[in-house]
Amino acid sequence: EKKTIIFAPSWGEQNALRLHGLEIAHRILRMNYELIIRPHPLSFKYDKNIINQLLSIVEQHSDCYMDNPDNNSFSSLLKADLMISDYSGVAYEYAFGLLRPVLFLDTPPKINNNSEIEKQKAPMENTSRDKIGKICNITELESSIHSILSNPQRAREIEVIREKYLFNPRNSIDIAIDEINKLEALKMPY
């Protein structure tokens, strides 16, 4: 069965869609993978030119699809064997939720907070990229895809990182309800 790759970049000035979107689509399709392109919803507003060019590629290739920005479905994530992203938060939802790898393109970091204090702290999103997947530049795309898809231990490696960063990933709802009930029991009568 043909493997599926989802390309899910973030949005902003230096995102992978703007920098390499067309090249990524062409290269993945030449490798004979199925490709799902899942742009950030704001890209449909601010990156119309590249979105239109990618839609043209979708029309020409039966193995290429564009996710609908109005559809908040996770079906495309469930279908994908590998995600290619940059600094998008969906990469962590995908990796931690499905225990599947992410290939991170080495693009300029997305900085949404210019506070000097915050700049001194390395966010988890920056320090764990190479632990839930692999970081590569665009010239290493094909070899990195092959390498990451041929690693049978990848799911276990991601699970170890998930356990480090997430609390109660398998039963967080039950624990949250218990904690709310404990707080409710502490209420003082008026």
Side-chain angles (χ1 to χ4, degrees):
E1 186 174 314
K2 189 179 274 196
K3 298 275 188 187
T4 301
I5 297 175
I6 186 166
F7 174 45
S10 62
W11 176 79
E13 294 276 329
Q14 298 282 320
N15 71 61
L17 181 75
R18 287 184 182 179
L19 297 174
H20 307 293
L22 297 172
E23 182 178 358
I24 288 168
H26 288 297
R27 289 170 78 170
I28 289 172
L29 291 168
R30 275 196 306 266
M31 293 175 72
N32 202 31
Y33 289 110
E34 185 174 273
L35 174 63
I36 301 169
I37 304 167
R38 186 181 181 162
H40 189 283
L42 288 174
S43 292
F44 287 89
K45 180 176 181 180
Y46 295 105
D47 296 319
K48 290 179 184 177
N49 184 35
I50 192 160
I51 294 294
N52 288 333
Q53 291 177 64
L54 288 167
L55 285 170
S56 179
I57 293 171
V58 168
E59 290 173 5
Q60 298 169 23
H61 295 273
S62 61
D63 285 340
C64 187
Y65 311 91
M66 175 88 67
D67 247 10
N68 181 340
D70 299 324
N71 183 2
N72 226 0
S73 168
F74 286 97
S75 61
S76 61
L77 298 178
L78 294 171
K79 186 174 183 179
D81 299 289
L82 169 69
M83 177 181 282
I84 297 176
S85 191
D86 45 24
Y87 283 91
S88 179
V90 75
Y92 294 91
E93 295 174 34
Y94 176 79
F96 290 152
L98 300 174
L99 298 177
R100 295 183 191 161
V102 179
L103 184 58
F104 291 98
L105 291 171
D106 191 16
T107 59
K110 181 170 73 170
I111 299 172
N112 291 328
N113 186 338
N114 288 322
S115 163
E116 288 303 317
I117 293 171
E118 291 301 317
K119 285 182 184 177
Q120 295 172 15
K121 300 175 189 173
M124 183 267 307
E125 291 90 347
N126 292 358
T127 60
S128 64
R129 293 170 82 203
D130 62 335
K131 294 171 181 64
I132 64 167
K134 181 178 173 113
I135 302 169
C136 77
N137 63 48
I138 192 70
T139 62
E140 305 165 323
L141 186 67
E142 289 87 351
S143 63
S144 296
I145 289 171
H146 177 71
S147 166
I148 207 165
L149 286 175
S150 62
N151 180 352
Q153 297 299 314
R154 184 55 74 182
R156 179 66 192 126
E157 293 167 2
I158 295 169
E159 189 173 25
V160 168
I161 299 304
R162 180 178 74 177
E163 297 298 324
K164 177 180 177 180
Y165 287 112
L166 301 182
F167 296 98
N168 310 304
R170 289 179 192 81
N171 58 349
S172 58
I173 292 173
D174 294 334
I175 291 173
I177 290 170
D178 288 345
E179 293 302 315
I180 291 169
N181 287 336
K182 286 177 190 175
L183 290 171
E184 182 68 25
L186 293 175
K187 273 191 174 175
M188 303 300 275
Y190 293 101

